[in-house]
Amino acid sequence: MLLKNANDGTSAYELLAGLFRVCCLNSLVAQTGTIDAIKVRHSGDVQGKVIEGTYRVLGEAERTLAAPQDWSGLRVGREAREVLAEAAHLVRFGDSEGSVTNPIKPEQLLVPRRVEDRAEDLWTVWNVVQENSLKGGLRGVRRDEFGRARRSTSRPINGIDQDIKLNKALWLIGERMAALLRR
C-alpha cells in the first residue's frame, strides 16, 4: 500500500495498492503493478470518501493478493502464452480501432529479462508480459513511406494514469486466462 497526501491540502489524498518484487539483496523493491487506487480531493466529505475508498482498495487488494499463489500453479502452454501476448500487445500498442502499427511484435512481450522468469506458470508469464509492456525498451524495425528501414524502441509507461489503465487491462487478461486454464 502506498499513501500519498499533503496535510496542507495542496494535493489530493491518494492510496494505491500494488504488488512489489524484491530486486536485490539490500531489500530494494520495485512495483510490478498497481491493483487499485483512489484519489480524494481535500474538499467536501473528505473523511467519508477516504474511508469508503480505502475499504474498496483494501478489498480489491485482498482478492488480488491470492493471485500469485493461484496463478503459479497454472501451467501455460505455448498457444496460451501467445494468446496472452497478443491480447497484451493489442492493449499496449493498439489504437481505438484495434489496429497496431507499432513494429514491436507480440512474441517480444514473452521474452524474460531475468533468468528467474524462465518458467511456464501463469504468474511468471503474466509478470514477464506486464514488465515488457510497461518498461519499454523493446526494439523493432518499420519501413517508412520510401521503404527505408527505421529502427524503433518502445517507450516506458511513466504516467500514473497510463500505468493504472494498462495494469487493470493486463490484470483482467490474466484473470480471464486463469479462469480458462482452470477448466
Side-chain angles (χ1 to χ4, degrees):
M1 302 295 279
L2 174 67
L3 172 64
K4 291 172 31 179
N5 192 23
N7 61 358
D8 63 359
T10 57
S11 69
Y13 167 93
E14 192 168 0
L15 181 66
L16 298 109
L19 298 174
F20 298 87
R21 171 182 236 178
V22 177
C23 293
C24 61
L25 295 176
N26 70 357
S27 300
L28 172 70
V29 295
Q31 186 173 7
T32 61
T34 302
I35 296 168
D36 201 1
I38 63 159
K39 202 172 200 176
V40 178
R41 292 178 47 95
H42 290 280
S43 63
D45 180 22
V46 176
Q47 185 176 3
K49 291 177 191 173
V50 166
I51 291 170
E52 180 185 324
T54 300
Y55 276 115
R56 189 196 81 220
V57 170
L58 288 172
E60 186 67 20
E62 186 177 315
R63 184 180 67 78
T64 305
L65 291 175
Q69 185 173 3
D70 179 33
W71 293 8
S72 292
L74 299 172
R75 187 180 178 289
V76 185
R78 184 184 56 79
E79 190 175 331
R81 284 193 303 271
E82 290 171 359
V83 168
L84 179 71
E86 287 172 14
H89 183 261
L90 183 62
V91 167
R92 172 61 168 92
F93 299 110
D95 62 16
S96 60
E97 279 85 49
S99 64
V100 178
T101 58
N102 192 301
I104 307 304
K105 305 290 181 222
E107 57 269 15
Q108 289 177 268
L109 297 176
L110 292 168
V111 178
R113 296 178 185 227
R114 286 173 291 287
V115 174
E116 297 85 10
D117 291 336
R118 296 181 191 266
E120 295 183 355
D121 63 274
L122 179 58
W123 181 248
T124 305
V125 171
W126 182 86
N127 271 282
V128 167
V129 168
Q130 187 248 11
E131 180 178 28
N132 284 325
S133 297
L134 288 168
K135 289 213 175 179
L138 302 176
R139 298 171 189 243
V141 177
R142 76 171 88 208
R143 299 277 174 195
D144 66 12
E145 63 272 7
F146 302 108
R148 295 179 298 216
R150 298 287 182 210
R151 287 186 215 139
S152 176
T153 303
S154 66
R155 294 182 179 183
I157 300 293
N158 291 322
I160 189 74
D161 293 337
Q162 293 171 309
D163 179 276
I164 290 171
K165 182 179 178 182
L166 180 58
N167 270 304
K168 282 185 177 184
L170 293 173
W171 189 260
L172 180 63
I173 293 167
E175 284 182 325
R176 297 292 195 263
M177 184 64 69
L180 289 171
L181 293 171
R182 282 192 210 102
R183 290 183 184 172

